[in-house]
Amino acid sequence: MQVTYLGQSAFQIAMHGKQLIFDPMISSNPMANHMDLATLQSDYILLSHGHGDHVADAEMLAKQNDSKIISSYEVVSWYEQKGLAGHPMNLGGKFKFDFGTVKYVQAIHSSMLPDGSYGGPSGGFVVWNEDKSFYFAGDTALTLDMKLIPMTCPTLDFAILPIGDNFTMGYEDAVIAADFIQCDTIIGCHYDTFGYIKIDHEAAIAEFKNAGKNLILLNIGQSITL
Ligand code: NI
Ligand code: MN
């Protein structure tokens, strides 16, 4: 499975020949100005919540690629009013798509759309098919609910966790989160994009290593196969 980092919390993940884009904020991210949105392909756009640093390019990409938006009922309704196609979910629910199963899981965070509309709950996604299983946490604090993921979903191959602190958990709490979800391969996100969330990469990697876990920090535009 190919995973490409697009900056902040944005990722492109290929699954069963479908391109999934998570939380696209690319054109307004000064650290991602080498990325070309016009050539970015998406069959589905998964939005963890309505904050601008997660949805900024969702409308543009959805129109460009005729993609379906998967998110909370409130976020999807907001996009449907703009004439875009969506698939609404709510916490604890799962649905089988043509690329695999998506479960929309609890995040401890707020959610508001760019025009101030109520964004519903903030969530994360566990996505799996017969080949791979992963967790995209979105923006969240460390929460005991993460312990439910290994009880209710297939064993995770990797997880994408926020590590930048201030608006989400920091990397110290993310190490505990990795324990709760029983996953040793973690890709970090939601760090360095702006001042409040700048982190010491070496310290973050060492914190995971001390716990016997691997923290992967990708360059923007870099792809890895997991
Ligand atoms: Ni947020
Ligand atoms: Mn955010």
Side-chain angles (χ1 to χ4, degrees), residues 8-9 23 48-54 109-112 122 138-140 167-168 190:
Q8 184 64 346
S9 293
D23 286 1
S48 62
H49 63 298
H51 286 158
D53 59 318
H54 300 258
H109 193 71
S110 58
S111 180
M112 181 177 78
S122 206
D139 281 4
T140 184
F167 295 115
T168 67
H190 214 275

Side-chain angles (χ1 to χ4, degrees), residues 158-170:
F158 65 95
I160 298 171
L161 302 180
I163 58 170
D165 226 327
N166 193 76
F167 295 115
T168 67
M169 60 185 172

Side-chain angles (χ1 to χ4, degrees), residues 11 147 176 178-179 200 214:
F11 287 84
K147 289 190 174 187
I176 300 169
D179 259 340
D200 179 338
N214 184 22

